[in-house]
């Protein structure tokens, strides 16, 4: 069964009197435990698509099922609960909460979804920080660590709720090349260990090389699909 | 909830200067209200105590119509022997009544054998009067109250009259009075004391023994025209008044109207209007406090939301429900209110202690050197504390609601 199933997905924005068709009818399926990249130039619709999949926005038409739920029909509160339980996010600007320590940032989504006891939460956070190699920075605040470290913390935070899907919009855009590869490698290894589906957007061709499945979007339409798992395109 | 409180407190600490300034503003507001209430409360209590304990008592009972014509001190509205018996029996049975004193009030002529002037006098039973008006004995400017206060054949003269008529302790004076039949009678009295004047009705009256008053007015049976009543607890004023009215309600005059009238000190003294004005001023000071808290907390919370739009978008995106985002900002406002209110209360308590150590001295009318020692009214402190906390939460409601309704995508795009 597919983790994500999109059928004729369209999204239209209104900027004043101007109508902008960001997505013009996308259909695709993504299986669990995939490492998928959406590539395309700026303005092609990658971020819009990730926002729809992440229940942060609603499609104008078409259907979108994520983890068996028709997410287009979810209300504000239910959408938040669904995201908390099923989806992790990694943002281009890291978006860590500055008043919380590294460990608390990772723990934050667990507190918000009222997950498990304090002890369990702390154990899970410790495990995630170890997995992303940030155990020794646990008590530091975001302002005290580097960009690469922040993104590793963001990956750990995205995985805190044991989501089935992690969405990463341009996760390496603000990182140097070496750090970018480290983050992608980290995501990839976590995907293998935890069987989490990673879906990320990028326009960096070298980063794209790391993806198992690549969708190319141009002008709101899917223009290409490449499945590298079996050497098929 | 603990986590939300933790995060809210961290957010407040994040903008230390702003939090400090807002808390200080609330502190000053709370200080102003509590200090004002304490000082005016002490002033009210002192003045009410002076008025009730020196002269009026907390309650008074007269025959119906007496107070309306009290300036004439009419003797035809005296309470007769049966009335006296009834009233004393009822007063003796009421739990809230500590003491009561019958009085015969009348107007007369005061002569020092050289000059004559008019005087208002109270015939009192000294033993009962000291219990109903315990500060009367403290009003002696000259002479001693002693055990008897005023004995047969003695008179207590108000200060202005003594000065004007140039009478001294031990001087003999003549009181001439007209009784209820219209005939005139006179008696000589020895000046036992000179009394300090006090603010309010009866504050410049003289005193003689009730038996002397009865003899001068040729009253042969037990009569009075006023009962001054002191309560055990002034908080029971309305309750005791109602109980007294109920107990006396069965007594009707020939017109079928209640035979007696009962007045509280509030009805008898013009100071009750000053007390009401003080209450109105306290209300407006509270209103100012509410405005200060409302504006300052709302301002801070609007800024907090505006500055953290992207952060709000992030926490919403990672699964924080709108209700929790709302709670987060409400708890921030609540914490600001509690912080400012607590500091304000502590500073106020310190200020009150300082004022108790160094009480304010003031004059009121002819009363000099009154000492104002503010007391802590726990009820007032609790009300102010809760008011500030409530207003802080209300002031945070709009910004918090706005934060909880933000669309994550748009919020995260915010620069």
């Amino acid at each position: 069964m597919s983790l994500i199933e999109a059928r004729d997905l369209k999204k239209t924005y209104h900027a004043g009197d101007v109508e902008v068709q960001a997505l013009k009818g996308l259909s695709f399926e993504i299986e669990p435990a995939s490492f998928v990249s959406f590539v395309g130039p700026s303005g092609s619709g990658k971020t819009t698509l990730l926002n729809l999949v992440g229940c942060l926005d609603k499609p104008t038409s078409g259907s979108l099922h994520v983890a068996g739920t028709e997410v287009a029909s979810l209300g504000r509160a239910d959408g938040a609960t669904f995201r908390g339980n099923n989806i992790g996010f990694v943002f281009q600007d890291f978006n860590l909460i500055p008043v919380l320590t590294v460990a608390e940032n990772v723990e934050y989504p667990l507190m918000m979804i009222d997950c498990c006891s304090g002890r369990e939460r702390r154990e899970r956070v410790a495990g995630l920080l170890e997995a992303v190699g940030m155990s020794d920075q646990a008590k530091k605040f975001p302002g005290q660590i580097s960009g690469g470290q922040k993104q590793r913390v963001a990956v750990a935070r995205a995985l805190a709720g044991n989501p089935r899907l992690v969405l990463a919009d341009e996760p390496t855009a603000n990182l140097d090349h070496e750090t970018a590869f480290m983050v992608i490698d980290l995501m990839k290894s976590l995907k293998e260990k935890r069987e989490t589906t990673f879906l990320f957007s990028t326009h960096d061709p070298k980063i794209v090389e790391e993806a198992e499945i690549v969708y190319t979007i141009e002008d709101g339409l899917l223009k290409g699909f490449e499945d590298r798992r079996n050497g098929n395109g | 909830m603990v986590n939300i409180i933790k995060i809210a407190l961290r957010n407040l600490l994040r903008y230390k200067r702003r939090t400090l300034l807002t808390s200080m503003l609330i502190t000053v507001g709370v200080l102003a209200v509590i200090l004002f209430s304490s000082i005016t409360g002490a002033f009210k209590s002192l003045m009410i105590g002076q008025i009730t304990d020196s002269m009026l008592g907390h309650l008074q009972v007269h025959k119906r119509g007496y107070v309306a014509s009290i300036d004439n001190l009419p003797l035809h509205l005296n309470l007769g022997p049966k009335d006296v018996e009834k009233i004393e029996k009822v007063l003796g049975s009421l739990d809230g009544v500590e003491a009561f004193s019958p009085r015969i009030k009348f107007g007369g002529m005061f002569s020092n054998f050289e000059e004559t002037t008019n005087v208002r006098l109270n015939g009192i039973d000294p033993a009962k009067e000291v219990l109903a008006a315990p500060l009367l004995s403290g009003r002696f400017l000259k002479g001693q109250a002693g055990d008897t206060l005023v004995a047969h054949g003695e008179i207590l003269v108000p200060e202005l009259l003594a000065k004007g008529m140039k009478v001294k302790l031990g001087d003999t004076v003549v009181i001439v009075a007209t009784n209820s039949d219209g005939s005139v009678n006179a008696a000589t009295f020895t000046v036992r004391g000179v009394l300090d004047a006090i603010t309010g009705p009866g504050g410049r009256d003289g005193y003689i023994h009730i038996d002397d008053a009865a003899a001068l007015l040729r009253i042969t049976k037990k009569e009075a025209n006023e009962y001054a009543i002191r309560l055990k607890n002034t908080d029971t004023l309305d309750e005791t008044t109602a109980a007294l009215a109920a107990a006396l309600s069965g007594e009707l005059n020939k017109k079928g109207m209640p035979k007696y009238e009962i007045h509280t000190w509030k009805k008898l003294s013009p100071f009750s209007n000053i007390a009401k004005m003080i209450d109105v001023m306290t209300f407006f000071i509270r209103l100012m406090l509410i405005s200060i808290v409302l504006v300052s907390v709302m301002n801070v919370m609007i800024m907090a939301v505006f500055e953290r739009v992207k952060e709000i978008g992030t926490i919403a995106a990672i699964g924080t429900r709108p209700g929790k985002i709302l709670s987060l900002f409400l708890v921030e406002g609540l914490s600001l209110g509690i912080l400012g209110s607590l500091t304000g209360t502590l500073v106020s308590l310190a200020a009150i202690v300082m004022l108790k150590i160094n009480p304010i001295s003031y004059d009121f009318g002819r009363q000099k050197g009154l000492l104002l020692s503010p007391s802590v009214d726990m009820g007032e402190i609790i009300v102010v504390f809760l008011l500030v906390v409530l207003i802080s939460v209300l002031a945070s409601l709009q910004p918090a609601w706005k934060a909880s309704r933000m669309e994550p995508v748009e919020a995260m795009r915010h620069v």
Side-chain angles (χ1 to χ4, degrees):
Chain A
M1 188 187 168
S2 302
L3 179 68
I4 304 169
E5 191 179 325
R7 291 276 172 266
D8 197 24
L9 209 55
K10 291 180 184 170
K11 178 68 185 177
T12 305
Y13 292 110
H14 293 274
D17 294 336
V18 184
E19 200 175 80
V20 181
Q21 275 193 293
L23 298 177
K24 298 174 180 172
L26 269 66
S27 298
F28 60 89
E29 286 182 24
I30 292 172
E31 290 169 14
S34 307
F35 199 69
V36 183
S37 174
F38 280 87
V39 295
S42 291
S44 58
K46 304 185 299 288
T47 300
T48 303
L49 179 62
L50 289 188
N51 286 343
L52 294 183
V53 174
C55 299
L56 297 174
D57 206 352
K58 291 183 189 303
T60 309
S61 67
S63 74
L64 176 62
H65 285 80
V66 179
T69 302
E70 173 53 87
V71 293
S73 62
L74 293 176
R76 189 189 297 267
D78 290 339
T81 305
F82 182 80
R83 289 194 296 274
N85 290 327
N86 296 283
I87 305 173
F89 289 89
V90 178
F91 303 102
Q92 181 180 333
D93 297 330
F94 326 123
N95 293 19
L96 299 179
I97 298 167
V99 291
L100 302 181
T101 62
V102 162
E104 286 166 342
N105 260 287
V106 178
E107 192 184 4
Y108 186 85
L110 298 176
M111 295 193 298
M112 289 303 117
I113 59 170
D114 296 323
C115 162
C116 44
S117 67
R119 192 179 152 192
E120 263 182 273
R121 282 204 310 266
R122 283 189 291 277
E123 281 174 4
R124 199 188 285 192
V125 169
L128 283 164
L129 287 178
E130 197 178 337
V132 298
M134 289 293 290
S135 295
D136 54 339
Q137 311 288 328
K139 289 183 179 169
K140 286 188 176 172
F141 285 90
Q144 298 170 311
I145 57 176
S146 69
Q149 287 175 319
K150 282 179 190 170
Q151 202 58 304
R152 279 150 68 187
V153 176
V155 171
R157 179 178 69 181
L159 291 167
N162 282 335
R164 299 175 68 183
L165 172 66
V166 171
L167 299 174
D169 188 12
E170 303 274 7
T172 57
N174 283 341
L175 303 176
D176 61 67
H177 215 66
E178 194 182 339
T179 314
F181 274 100
M182 279 172 65
V183 169
I184 290 295
D185 284 344
L186 173 67
M187 285 162 54
K188 214 168 177 177
S189 69
L190 289 168
K191 172 250 163 188
E192 295 298 336
K193 281 182 198 163
R194 306 168 74 98
E195 297 200 334
T196 307
T197 298
F198 279 80
L199 203 158
F200 65 97
S201 69
T202 183
H203 55 258
D204 185 337
K206 288 185 179 168
I207 295 292
V208 175
E209 293 298 314
E210 300 295 316
E212 292 172 349
I213 297 167
V214 179
Y215 285 98
T216 305
I217 305 182
E218 277 176 31
D219 197 23
L221 291 166
L222 276 182
K223 294 285 183 171
F225 168 72
E226 190 181 349
D227 186 347
R228 295 166 178 164
R229 285 175 298 185
N230 304 315
N232 298 324
Chain B
M1 197 60 196
V2 175
N3 294 317
I4 285 181
I5 293 170
K6 195 163 100 179
I7 294 167
L9 291 178
R10 293 252 182 105
N11 279 326
L12 285 178
L13 287 174
R14 191 170 167 183
Y15 304 103
K16 286 189 188 75
R17 190 183 298 173
R18 191 194 296 163
T19 304
L20 193 69
L21 283 173
T22 311
S23 304
M24 275 171 62
L25 210 58
I26 298 173
T27 300
V28 170
V30 170
L31 174 70
V33 173
I34 293 180
L35 217 51
F36 182 83
S37 299
S38 299
I39 291 173
T40 54
F43 173 72
K44 264 168 61 181
S45 300
L46 184 68
M47 293 315 298
I48 292 167
Q50 287 278 321
I51 291 164
T52 58
D53 296 355
S54 300
M55 176 65 212
L56 281 183
H58 298 123
L59 279 173
Q60 288 189 358
V61 179
H62 304 93
K63 189 171 262 189
R64 186 178 178 80
Y66 185 85
V67 170
S69 50
I70 199 164
D71 283 345
N72 308 330
L73 300 174
L75 294 171
H76 71 277
L77 290 175
N78 277 6
L79 299 158
K82 284 184 182 171
D83 301 320
V84 167
E85 190 184 341
K86 169 76 182 173
I87 290 168
E88 291 196 357
K89 190 178 171 191
V90 168
L91 290 175
S93 67
L94 288 178
D95 283 342
V97 173
E98 184 174 295
F100 57 87
S101 174
R103 292 170 180 166
I104 296 176
K105 296 168 84 81
F106 65 101
M109 301 300 289
F110 180 99
S111 172
N112 61 359
F113 299 102
E114 289 175 4
E115 291 178 84
T116 303
T117 187
N118 60 322
V119 67
R120 292 165 59 99
L121 288 165
N122 291 276
I124 54 165
D125 179 337
K128 290 182 176 174
E129 188 69 16
V130 288
L131 296 175
L135 290 185
L136 177 60
S137 49
R139 287 173 57 199
F140 275 71
L141 290 175
K142 290 175 185 169
Q144 297 281 322
D147 295 334
T148 52
L149 196 67
V150 62
H152 291 103
E154 291 180 337
I155 184 169
L156 305 177
V157 185
E159 184 195 8
L160 289 177
L161 185 68
K163 268 189 186 169
M165 297 295 284
K166 297 185 185 67
V167 294
K168 304 185 297 292
L169 295 182
D171 284 0
T172 301
V173 295
V174 179
I175 300 295
V176 183
T178 308
N179 65 25
S180 58
D181 298 332
S183 62
V184 176
N185 195 14
T188 55
F189 292 88
T190 306
V191 177
R192 159 78 178 261
V194 175
L195 295 181
D196 190 10
I198 58 158
T199 308
R204 292 172 188 179
D205 290 0
Y207 289 85
I208 58 174
H209 197 284
I210 196 166
D211 294 344
D212 292 343
L216 186 62
L217 298 168
R218 294 199 173 99
I219 296 169
T220 52
K221 293 177 182 171
K222 197 174 180 186
E223 285 187 24
N225 48 27
E226 179 172 285
Y227 269 87
I229 300 152
R230 181 175 170 78
L231 302 181
K232 287 175 185 162
N233 180 358
T234 51
D235 292 341
T236 64
L237 182 67
D238 293 336
E239 189 186 313
T240 309
T241 307
L244 183 57
L248 296 176
S249 64
E251 300 293 318
L252 302 174
N253 59 20
K254 286 172 187 168
K255 292 177 184 172
M257 306 290 283
K259 201 171 179 183
Y260 312 116
E261 57 186 18
I262 303 161
H263 291 94
T264 63
W265 71 268
K266 291 177 186 173
K267 292 266 173 65
L268 296 166
S269 169
F271 184 77
S272 65
N273 291 324
I274 298 175
K276 276 182 196 162
M277 278 303 297
I278 290 171
D279 291 341
V280 170
M281 283 162 69
T282 308
F283 171 77
F284 279 106
I285 292 271
R286 275 190 194 170
L287 212 60
M288 281 167 61
L289 172 71
I290 290 171
S291 310
I292 289 171
V293 175
L294 197 71
V295 171
S296 53
V297 173
M298 194 178 247
N299 183 42
V300 165
M301 296 314 295
I302 287 172
M303 287 298 289
V305 170
F306 182 75
E307 286 171 351
R308 279 152 44 197
V309 171
K310 193 169 181 177
E311 196 177 305
I312 294 164
T314 304
I315 62 173
I318 63 179
T320 311
R321 289 172 70 91
K324 283 203 170 169
I325 296 175
L326 184 89
S327 310
L328 191 65
F329 283 91
L330 286 183
V331 171
E332 270 186 49
L334 176 80
S335 308
L336 257 181
I338 291 175
L339 181 68
S341 209
L342 265 181
T343 317
T345 304
L346 291 175
V347 173
S348 305
L349 289 175
I352 289 169
V353 169
M354 292 297 291
L355 284 172
K356 279 187 96 67
I357 295 168
N358 303 297
I360 301 167
S361 173
Y362 74 106
D363 301 336
F364 189 79
R366 290 186 44 78
Q367 291 162 274
K368 310 285 182 195
L370 294 171
L371 287 179
L372 199 62
S373 175
S375 54
V376 180
D377 180 354
M378 281 316 289
E380 177 71 13
I381 287 176
I382 291 168
V383 165
V384 170
F385 185 87
L386 292 178
L387 192 69
V388 170
V389 170
L390 178 72
I391 296 300
S392 302
V393 174
L394 289 178
S396 313
L397 207 53
Q398 192 274 342
W401 175 255
K402 191 178 171 188
S404 73
R405 306 304 294 173
M406 279 181 189
E407 290 294 341
V409 173
E410 285 170 23
M412 282 191 292
R413 267 194 220 124
H414 191 268
V415 181

